[in-house]
Amino acid sequence: MPIFQYRCHSCGNVYEIFHKVREIAEDVICPSCRSTSYTRLISAPMVKTESAREDFNTSCSTGCCGGSCGIN
């Protein structure tokens, strides 16, 4: 599910909304003040790099490191 982040024009609150398929304007309501006036913020996607995977594998202490359990 896509996660979108918004900033409320009324109170300045920054909040996230999980959308099932696509953004629907009627679903975007500030949880603090219930305003429907907002700006959608741009957020960077999380990218898993090979070096991050190596760091995880060397620091793992669960017994399922290095892909031996088939999860990685």
Side-chain angles (χ1 to χ4, degrees):
M1 280 195 304
I3 302 170
F4 293 98
Q5 202 172 43
Y6 301 91
R7 175 176 286 119
C8 178
H9 288 182
S10 298
C11 70
N13 182 38
V14 174
Y15 54 97
E16 294 178 340
I17 296 181
F18 300 92
H19 294 285
K20 291 183 180 179
V21 178
R22 60 182 164 73
E23 178 184 49
I24 300 171
E26 293 81 28
D27 291 343
V28 184
I29 300 172
C30 176
S32 296
C33 71
R34 310 299 293 165
S35 173
T36 57
S37 178
Y38 61 87
T39 298
R40 187 168 135 195
L41 304 176
I42 297 174
S43 55
M46 189 171 116
V47 178
K48 188 173 183 179
T49 64
E50 192 59 36
S51 63
R53 184 183 188 121
E54 289 171 8
D55 291 343
F56 172 79
N57 288 338
T58 58
S59 65
C60 182
S61 62
T62 62
C64 183
C65 300
S68 60
C69 62
I71 293 176
N72 298 13

mmCIF file of all heavy atoms in Angstrom, residues 53-69 72:
data_model
loop_
_atom_site.group_PDB
_atom_site.id
_atom_site.type_symbol
_atom_site.label_atom_id
_atom_site.label_comp_id
_atom_site.label_asym_id
_atom_site.label_seq_id
_atom_site.Cartn_x
_atom_site.Cartn_y
_atom_site.Cartn_z
ATOM 1 N N ARG A 53 22.608 -4.723 3.212
ATOM 2 C CA ARG A 53 22.350 -6.152 3.386
ATOM 3 C C ARG A 53 23.547 -6.824 4.056
ATOM 4 O O ARG A 53 23.389 -7.654 4.947
ATOM 5 C CB ARG A 53 22.060 -6.784 2.036
ATOM 6 C CG ARG A 53 21.680 -8.227 2.121
ATOM 7 C CD ARG A 53 21.466 -8.805 0.723
ATOM 8 N NE ARG A 53 20.935 -10.119 0.847
ATOM 9 C CZ ARG A 53 19.785 -10.517 0.356
ATOM 10 N NH1 ARG A 53 19.057 -9.688 -0.327
ATOM 11 N NH2 ARG A 53 19.365 -11.736 0.520
ATOM 12 N N GLU A 54 24.767 -6.471 3.646
ATOM 13 C CA GLU A 54 25.961 -7.049 4.255
ATOM 14 C C GLU A 54 26.064 -6.658 5.718
ATOM 15 O O GLU A 54 26.396 -7.479 6.552
ATOM 16 C CB GLU A 54 27.202 -6.607 3.488
ATOM 17 C CG GLU A 54 27.318 -7.241 2.113
ATOM 18 C CD GLU A 54 28.423 -6.632 1.280
ATOM 19 O OE1 GLU A 54 29.208 -5.814 1.810
ATOM 20 O OE2 GLU A 54 28.502 -6.969 0.090
ATOM 21 N N ASP A 55 25.756 -5.388 6.043
ATOM 22 C CA ASP A 55 25.789 -4.943 7.429
ATOM 23 C C ASP A 55 24.800 -5.740 8.259
ATOM 24 O O ASP A 55 25.083 -6.147 9.374
ATOM 25 C CB ASP A 55 25.460 -3.451 7.538
ATOM 26 C CG ASP A 55 26.558 -2.571 6.954
ATOM 27 O OD1 ASP A 55 27.689 -3.074 6.773
ATOM 28 O OD2 ASP A 55 26.270 -1.394 6.681
ATOM 29 N N PHE A 56 23.618 -5.981 7.724
ATOM 30 C CA PHE A 56 22.598 -6.743 8.437
ATOM 31 C C PHE A 56 23.072 -8.173 8.675
ATOM 32 O O PHE A 56 22.964 -8.711 9.759
ATOM 33 C CB PHE A 56 21.279 -6.758 7.659
ATOM 34 C CG PHE A 56 20.257 -7.679 8.248
ATOM 35 C CD1 PHE A 56 19.535 -7.283 9.362
ATOM 36 C CD2 PHE A 56 20.029 -8.938 7.719
ATOM 37 C CE1 PHE A 56 18.598 -8.119 9.930
ATOM 38 C CE2 PHE A 56 19.087 -9.785 8.275
ATOM 39 C CZ PHE A 56 18.365 -9.375 9.394
ATOM 40 N N ASN A 57 23.633 -8.788 7.646
ATOM 41 C CA ASN A 57 24.061 -10.178 7.762
ATOM 42 C C ASN A 57 25.184 -10.361 8.769
ATOM 43 O O ASN A 57 25.231 -11.354 9.467
ATOM 44 C CB ASN A 57 24.489 -10.726 6.398
ATOM 45 C CG ASN A 57 23.302 -10.942 5.480
ATOM 46 O OD1 ASN A 57 22.181 -11.087 5.935
ATOM 47 N ND2 ASN A 57 23.561 -10.954 4.189
ATOM 48 N N THR A 58 26.109 -9.407 8.874
ATOM 49 C CA THR A 58 27.220 -9.549 9.802
ATOM 50 C C THR A 58 26.824 -9.213 11.225
ATOM 51 O O THR A 58 27.460 -9.652 12.157
ATOM 52 C CB THR A 58 28.404 -8.659 9.383
ATOM 53 O OG1 THR A 58 27.962 -7.297 9.319
ATOM 54 C CG2 THR A 58 28.963 -9.086 8.049
ATOM 55 N N SER A 59 25.740 -8.454 11.408
ATOM 56 C CA SER A 59 25.340 -8.086 12.756
ATOM 57 C C SER A 59 24.166 -8.919 13.263
ATOM 58 O O SER A 59 23.681 -8.714 14.353
ATOM 59 C CB SER A 59 24.968 -6.597 12.811
ATOM 60 O OG SER A 59 23.819 -6.372 12.014
ATOM 61 N N CYS A 60 23.723 -9.876 12.503
ATOM 62 C CA CYS A 60 22.556 -10.679 12.851
ATOM 63 C C CYS A 60 22.899 -11.662 13.960
ATOM 64 O O CYS A 60 23.922 -12.317 13.929
ATOM 65 C CB CYS A 60 22.058 -11.415 11.607
ATOM 66 S SG CYS A 60 20.596 -12.387 11.924
ATOM 67 N N SER A 61 22.009 -11.796 14.936
ATOM 68 C CA SER A 61 22.230 -12.739 16.016
ATOM 69 C C SER A 61 21.036 -13.679 16.203
ATOM 70 O O SER A 61 20.896 -14.301 17.241
ATOM 71 C CB SER A 61 22.513 -11.992 17.319
ATOM 72 O OG SER A 61 21.367 -11.205 17.659
ATOM 73 N N THR A 62 20.189 -13.795 15.192
ATOM 74 C CA THR A 62 18.978 -14.612 15.338
ATOM 75 C C THR A 62 19.164 -16.035 14.851
ATOM 76 O O THR A 62 18.269 -16.855 15.015
ATOM 77 C CB THR A 62 17.815 -13.996 14.530
ATOM 78 O OG1 THR A 62 18.169 -13.991 13.160
ATOM 79 C CG2 THR A 62 17.504 -12.592 15.006
ATOM 80 N N GLY A 63 20.294 -16.345 14.244
ATOM 81 C CA GLY A 63 20.500 -17.685 13.723
ATOM 82 C C GLY A 63 19.966 -17.860 12.319
ATOM 83 O O GLY A 63 19.996 -18.934 11.757
ATOM 84 N N CYS A 64 19.451 -16.800 11.723
ATOM 85 C CA CYS A 64 18.904 -16.859 10.375
ATOM 86 C C CYS A 64 19.647 -15.871 9.494
ATOM 87 O O CYS A 64 19.085 -15.198 8.675
ATOM 88 C CB CYS A 64 17.413 -16.538 10.413
ATOM 89 S SG CYS A 64 16.629 -16.680 8.811
ATOM 90 N N CYS A 65 20.934 -15.738 9.707
ATOM 91 C CA CYS A 65 21.729 -14.754 8.982
ATOM 92 C C CYS A 65 22.230 -15.298 7.657
ATOM 93 O O CYS A 65 22.364 -16.493 7.472
ATOM 94 C CB CYS A 65 22.921 -14.327 9.825
ATOM 95 S SG CYS A 65 22.417 -13.598 11.392
ATOM 96 N N GLY A 66 22.471 -14.391 6.742
ATOM 97 C CA GLY A 66 23.048 -14.767 5.474
ATOM 98 C C GLY A 66 22.117 -15.520 4.556
ATOM 99 O O GLY A 66 22.541 -16.127 3.600
ATOM 100 N N GLY A 67 20.843 -15.517 4.862
ATOM 101 C CA GLY A 67 19.874 -16.170 4.001
ATOM 102 C C GLY A 67 19.708 -17.654 4.250
ATOM 103 O O GLY A 67 19.055 -18.358 3.496
ATOM 104 N N SER A 68 20.282 -18.165 5.330
ATOM 105 C CA SER A 68 20.214 -19.606 5.578
ATOM 106 C C SER A 68 18.794 -20.099 5.869
ATOM 107 O O SER A 68 18.492 -21.270 5.708
ATOM 108 C CB SER A 68 21.131 -19.993 6.742
ATOM 109 O OG SER A 68 20.731 -19.323 7.920
ATOM 110 N N CYS A 69 17.909 -19.200 6.257
ATOM 111 C CA CYS A 69 16.537 -19.602 6.541
ATOM 112 C C CYS A 69 15.620 -19.378 5.347
ATOM 113 O O CYS A 69 14.445 -19.702 5.398
ATOM 114 C CB CYS A 69 15.974 -18.846 7.741
ATOM 115 S SG CYS A 69 15.890 -17.075 7.469
ATOM 116 N N ASN A 72 15.973 -14.099 3.456
ATOM 117 C CA ASN A 72 16.728 -13.037 2.776
ATOM 118 C C ASN A 72 16.683 -13.301 1.339
ATOM 119 O O ASN A 72 17.225 -13.616 0.530
ATOM 120 C CB ASN A 72 18.153 -12.955 3.301
ATOM 121 C CG ASN A 72 18.156 -12.621 4.769
ATOM 122 O OD1 ASN A 72 17.151 -12.686 5.444
ATOM 123 N ND2 ASN A 72 19.306 -12.288 5.282
#
